[in-house]
Amino acid sequence: MSDTETTTATATPGTTGASIQLQQVTKEYAGQAQPAVDHIDLDIKAGEILMLVGPSGCGKTTTLKMINRLIEPTSGRIVLDGEDVTNQDADQLRRHIGYVIQAGGLFPHMTVAANVGLVPGMLKWDKQRIAERTDELLELVGLEPGQYRDRYPRELSGGQQQRVGVARALAADPPVLLMDEPFGAVDPITRQRLQDELLNIQEELGKTIVMVTHDFDEAVKLGDRIAILDVGARIVQLDTPEELLQNPADDFVVDFIGKGAALKTLDLTRVSDVPLRTGTTARASTSTADAVAAARAAGDTYVVVLDQRDRPLRWHRIEELEAAGETIGSRADEDLPTLSRRSTLNEALDTMLTASQNGVIVTGRRDAYVGFLTIDTVMSFMSPGDEAGAGS
Ligand SMILES: Nc1ncnc2c1ncn2[C@@H]1O[C@H](COP(=O)(O)OP(=O)(O)OP(=O)(O)O)[C@@H](O)[C@H]1O
Ligand SMILES: [Mg+2]
């Protein structure tokens, strides 16, 4: 909301993550007719958040657990940062891969600090270093160390337990974080906070994160890319959220995305990402006739009135402006629908609907006028993929 923030959406994080490749990885459980994971090939980039979504039982958890070999693949190769780790000592491997499960998966008989310090302890860090690291991580996940470090998991809310789970997974600064429905068990508001927290942490740390979720909205919000899996962990589509929403590969993906696809696209797109119209502007206290002439010459039917620092005051139809006198007044319209460039198209639509206007003014740094966005522009971003001829 601050008008001093830069226009760069994300600071380029120093990537500390590792790339992960699954090559023809298969898991056959004893006594099962079909493989749970059937020759999956997956190329995960260093520093990205890859979301795995798909119907229950399609092999998401199995795929995830094969990355850190909590489950041994039946065949195939797993390559971490270019190194084949398929036959590396599994315990060794797991210390370099953080793992977060639903409800935090904390040890109930251990304090928060002991839970977080678990892996560093195994790595034989000295006590002082573990204590410092624990406090640092609790702060990172938004828990005041003095207040929480000596509590037991049962003395925490679900969301707090989840935070501790994330802190524990990050403890030894692993390049890879695997998360299996980490926010599944918390209420929607807490979930949203945890998601935002994770994005903040990720901006700072640049880990490679592979996360399983049931919640497609969560996948869209967090994922750099989303893999939609079907039975046997068959990859139906692997794409950015934008691509998935706009060009779903087939009906399976369309069903998965669900009805809200159009609105989800609006959540993904920021006002700064779409073409704005500049229209005709005029400063308060200048000549009405000049402004009207400029608007007519430009083919505009509206004039946006700005104050001395280019902040929008109100807008007028040409006729209204002409009727209002020789000099343009400096009155501000309290109800002028205005948005920052950082807003999403969904917020833009909301603002227009609330104001019953078919456009909204967009402001940039120091609330200065940037242009305006019309409802037509927003609508053009709502067209679902199947209309765009992606079917068949
Ligand atoms: N230990 C096991 N022994 C035998 N079969 C298993 C075992 N674990 C999982 N499976 C089977 O393998 C398939 C994939 O299971 P997995 O747990 O990977 O699915 P998932 O996509 O994570 O599902 P969910 O969304 O319900 O968590 C399922 O058919 C499941 O029944
Ligand atoms: Mg699962």
Side-chain angles (χ1 to χ4, degrees):
M1 305 309 128
S2 147
D3 60 4
T4 52
E5 60 197 351
T6 62
T7 50
T8 329
T10 43
T12 319
T15 299
T16 58
S19 66
I20 305 165
Q21 280 150 321
L22 304 189
Q23 300 172 349
Q24 294 286 300
V25 172
T26 295
K27 178 66 192 183
E28 289 166 15
Y29 289 111
Q32 300 282 8
Q34 303 294 328
V37 173
D38 194 357
H39 295 89
I40 192 172
D41 279 309
L42 201 53
D43 216 330
I44 306 166
K45 298 173 198 163
E48 82 169 326
I49 300 184
L50 178 76
M51 307 295 292
L52 303 180
V53 299
S56 183
C58 75
K60 303 180 295 293
T61 296
T62 305
T63 301
L64 199 70
K65 284 184 167 175
M66 286 195 290
I67 296 175
N68 68 357
R69 301 240 313 286
L70 277 169
I71 292 176
E72 288 291 343
T74 309
S75 62
R77 291 199 332 146
I78 295 157
V79 178
L80 207 66
D81 243 358
E83 189 189 343
D84 188 340
V85 296
T86 324
N87 299 307
Q88 196 183 320
D89 177 64
D91 288 333
Q92 187 75 17
L93 182 67
R94 281 200 279 280
R95 284 166 205 168
H96 299 283
I97 299 181
Y99 187 62
V100 186
I101 57 170
Q102 194 162 347
L106 304 177
F107 292 109
H109 59 287
M110 285 164 64
T111 63
V112 165
N115 267 288
V116 175
L118 204 64
V119 175
M122 288 190 229
L123 292 171
K124 308 254 183 297
W125 292 15
D126 68 59
K127 280 211 173 89
Q128 173 77 12
R129 185 172 167 214
I130 295 176
E132 283 169 9
R133 179 66 178 156
T134 301
D135 283 3
E136 177 187 323
L137 282 162
L138 289 177
E139 290 210 10
L140 184 72
V141 298
L143 294 173
E144 212 278 296
Q147 202 178 336
Y148 291 101
R149 75 165 86 75
D150 296 323
R151 292 206 197 172
Y152 286 89
R154 64 171 181 277
E155 299 167 319
L156 303 175
S157 72
Q160 289 166 343
Q161 290 183 31
Q162 207 58 64
R163 283 164 197 259
V164 176
V166 173
R168 183 175 67 178
L170 288 168
D173 201 19
V176 173
L177 209 54
L178 307 178
M179 308 179 90
D180 196 349
E181 304 200 36
F183 308 141
V186 294
D187 63 273
I189 293 170
T190 306
R191 183 183 317 171
Q192 193 187 323
R193 287 212 191 106
L194 291 169
Q195 291 168 343
D196 292 343
E197 202 77 61
L198 184 75
L199 288 174
N200 286 337
I201 291 172
Q202 176 64 355
E203 191 165 301
E204 220 170 294
L205 303 183
K207 303 290 180 192
T208 306
I209 299 178
V210 188
M211 185 189 297
V212 171
T213 182
H214 264 113
D215 176 357
F216 191 74
D217 292 338
E218 177 166 87
V220 167
K221 176 168 180 185
L222 298 179
D224 293 307
R225 292 191 302 160
I226 300 172
I228 298 196
L229 307 180
D230 198 356
V231 178
R234 182 176 70 85
I235 299 174
V236 183
Q237 191 168 5
L238 171 55
D239 252 319
T240 61
E242 291 83 352
E243 264 305 308
L244 272 174
L245 289 168
Q246 280 159 21
N247 297 307
D250 60 18
D251 288 348
F252 180 82
V253 177
V254 171
D255 283 351
F256 216 88
I257 290 169
K259 290 240 184 315
L263 287 171
K264 282 167 196 150
T265 309
L266 293 187
D267 273 330
L268 276 172
T269 315
R270 293 190 184 275
V271 169
S272 54
D273 298 331
V274 307
L276 299 179
R277 309 229 330 246
T278 325
T280 298
T281 59
R283 280 266 168 78
S285 314
T286 61
S287 148
T288 302
D290 288 354
V292 169
R296 291 231 161 88
D300 289 328
T301 48
Y302 278 87
V303 173
V304 180
V305 179
L306 308 179
D307 73 3
Q308 301 309 315
R309 290 169 54 190
D310 285 338
R311 292 173 301 197
L313 292 170
R314 59 189 195 280
W315 52 11
H316 283 301
R317 297 186 68 82
I318 292 183
E319 302 77 43
E320 289 169 344
L321 194 63
E322 279 180 313
E326 274 176 41
T327 313
I328 300 172
S330 57
R331 182 181 56 84
D333 175 1
E334 302 277 289
D335 300 322
L336 187 70
T338 314
L339 276 180
S340 128
R341 273 184 303 195
R342 295 286 199 110
S343 311
T344 65
L345 290 192
N346 211 356
E347 290 162 337
L349 187 62
D350 234 32
T351 306
M352 290 182 216
L353 295 176
T354 309
S356 306
Q357 305 245 17
N358 54 12
V360 59
I361 302 238
V362 180
T363 57
R365 298 189 64 159
R366 299 177 196 286
D367 296 330
Y369 178 76
V370 175
F372 64 90
L373 179 66
T374 64
I375 200 151
D376 297 337
T377 307
V378 176
M379 290 312 207
S380 72
F381 275 81
M382 283 179 75
S383 56
D386 50 358
E387 253 173 50
S392 82

